[in-house]
Amino acid sequence: MQAAFNLNTSELNINFVNSIKEMFQNKNIEIVITDRVSKEYEIEKSMLDTTLEDYLQNGSKNFTVMSDEFWEEREQKILQKTKVS
């Protein structure tokens, strides 16, 4: 299992540590800490903001709903492409 957290150091508290302990009960873990580069964060946030704004304005019009039907159609297309003659 893997988990990634993006947070400010001011958000670190015992609840955060306890949640990690609960997720990875009695397992050896590796913790890698890096500081987020501001430019990368701003680009990612801008993309998410744009996506959210589009969804709020247009609903699921510009999004693909990954329903059972979606996956069944994809499966059929893959089977057709890989069908041996």
Side-chain angles (χ1 to χ4, degrees):
M1 179 161 74
Q2 183 178 24
F5 302 92
N6 292 310
L7 51 102
N8 188 284
T9 54
S10 65
E11 298 172 282
L12 292 173
N13 59 36
I14 194 65
N15 294 330
F16 176 75
V17 173
N18 286 336
S19 69
I20 292 173
K21 287 173 70 173
E22 179 147 344
M23 278 192 289
F24 297 94
Q25 291 179 12
N26 299 316
K27 295 192 175 143
N28 294 323
I29 64 171
E30 176 182 9
I31 297 176
V32 177
I33 299 174
T34 61
D35 56 342
R36 294 285 308 246
V37 177
S38 294
K39 187 173 183 177
E40 290 173 0
Y41 173 78
E42 289 302 321
I43 290 170
E44 187 177 297
K45 184 178 181 320
S46 175
M47 289 171 52
L48 289 171
D49 288 344
T50 300
T51 302
L52 177 59
E53 187 61 33
D54 180 39
Y55 180 76
L56 292 174
Q57 289 181 4
N58 301 305
S60 61
K61 176 182 170 191
N62 296 323
F63 296 87
T64 300
V65 177
M66 294 186 167
S67 63
D68 288 342
E69 183 178 284
F70 168 85
W71 291 112
E72 289 167 6
E73 288 174 5
R74 292 307 165 279
E75 179 183 31
Q76 290 304 314
K77 286 183 180 183
I78 291 169
L79 290 173
Q80 288 172 356
K81 285 183 178 182
T82 58
K83 188 176 182 180
V84 178
S85 301

